[in-house]
Amino acid sequence: MKRFGEVVRTTKETDISAKVDIDGKGRADIDTGIGFFDHMLTALSVHSGISMTIKVKGDLYVDCHHTIEDTGIALGQALGQALGAKSGIVRYGTAYIPMDESLAMASLDLSNRPFLVFNCEFTNQSCGQYDLCMTEEFFRAFAFNSGMTLHINLLYGSNDHHKAEAVYKAVAHALKTAVTLNSDGSTLSTKGVL
């Protein structure tokens, strides 16, 4: 079964194409117009093992908000599409990821019950053209549009680049575990469905 999703989302603020191939070996082709965001999404793809092609044209003359949030929406929808009924997967994943002096933890459940808990503090306003406050907005959009319960905790760190990268990589590794096929193809739920 091919686990592939593709979403095209066009609004007055953004024009986005997002493709995911869960079994695609983590090949990334990312262009959002925001260099640091491209770097983070590439890390999300490579470390999750999920191939992602993301092309975005956004109203960056305003700021980065619409581009980042809408990318989270489209990417979440594409992931949800690729997972279908979410049967036959491990469903849960947790990862602790160090990035030099920083340490982040992500724990998630591909449950169809979207929720985000985000406990991360950054020191500066931005890394390049990426507003660090948008990290929470991206993951909220990503979680709610994919049907994911997602908890992210930045345990410590001092360099904002490292902190953000640890967060994205922690989510990636938790996701890599959660999308793994289970041994018998069953739905991991006492209800029988998610």
Side-chain angles (χ1 to χ4, degrees), residues 13-82:
E13 298 165 342
T14 58
D15 188 359
I16 301 173
S17 170
K19 300 176 188 176
V20 300
D21 182 353
I22 292 176
D23 304 303
K25 311 302 181 196
R27 295 179 186 92
D29 182 9
I30 314 289
D31 183 8
T32 66
I34 304 166
F36 187 78
F37 191 38
D38 291 354
H39 180 42
M40 295 299 99
L41 292 174
T42 298
L44 184 65
S45 174
V46 169
H47 285 267
S48 68
I50 298 173
S51 290
M52 298 180 186
T53 301
I54 303 169
K55 303 295 180 184
V56 185
K57 291 185 179 172
D59 56 357
L60 295 177
Y61 63 90
V62 175
D63 67 7
C64 66
H65 189 115
H66 300 139
T67 295
I68 294 171
E69 183 177 35
D70 289 9
T71 298
I73 292 169
L75 185 60
Q77 289 173 347
L79 178 64
Q81 186 183 110

Side-chain angles (χ1 to χ4, degrees), residues 2-182:
K2 190 76 170 160
R3 299 193 293 168
F4 180 83
E6 181 175 3
V7 169
V8 175
R9 186 176 193 274
T10 302
T11 71
K12 292 180 179 179
E13 298 165 342
T14 58
D15 188 359
I16 301 173
S17 170
K19 300 176 188 176
V20 300
D21 182 353
I22 292 176
D23 304 303
K25 311 302 181 196
R27 295 179 186 92
D29 182 9
I30 314 289
D31 183 8
T32 66
I34 304 166
F36 187 78
F37 191 38
D38 291 354
H39 180 42
M40 295 299 99
L41 292 174
T42 298
L44 184 65
S45 174
V46 169
H47 285 267
S48 68
I50 298 173
S51 290
M52 298 180 186
T53 301
I54 303 169
K55 303 295 180 184
V56 185
K57 291 185 179 172
D59 56 357
L60 295 177
Y61 63 90
V62 175
D63 67 7
C64 66
H65 189 115
H66 300 139
T67 295
I68 294 171
E69 183 177 35
D70 289 9
T71 298
I73 292 169
L75 185 60
Q77 289 173 347
L79 178 64
Q81 186 183 110
L83 288 167
K86 299 184 174 79
S87 60
I89 59 171
V90 171
R91 180 179 159 182
Y92 295 96
T94 298
Y96 285 82
I97 295 295
M99 181 73 188
D100 295 348
E101 84 299 337
S102 299
L103 182 65
M105 183 277 283
S107 191
L108 61 87
D109 176 12
L110 297 171
S111 61
N112 286 334
R113 291 191 308 278
F115 203 86
L116 176 69
V117 175
F118 186 86
N119 295 311
C120 305
E121 290 188 16
F122 298 101
T123 304
N124 299 300
Q125 178 180 335
S126 62
C127 282
Q129 301 303 307
Y130 175 93
D131 289 348
L132 288 159
C133 66
M134 289 307 301
T135 308
E136 181 173 7
E137 298 305 321
F138 169 77
F139 282 113
R140 179 178 292 110
F142 182 57
F144 274 72
N145 284 276
S146 62
M148 177 190 303
T149 298
L150 176 60
H151 292 245
I152 302 172
N153 291 287
L154 179 63
L155 302 176
Y156 48 79
S158 58
N159 181 292
D160 282 334
H161 183 130
H162 296 162
K163 290 191 282 188
E165 191 162 346
V167 163
Y168 275 86
K169 287 179 177 177
V171 172
H173 281 271
L175 187 57
K176 183 175 187 174
T177 300
V179 300
T180 301
L181 295 172
N182 65 26

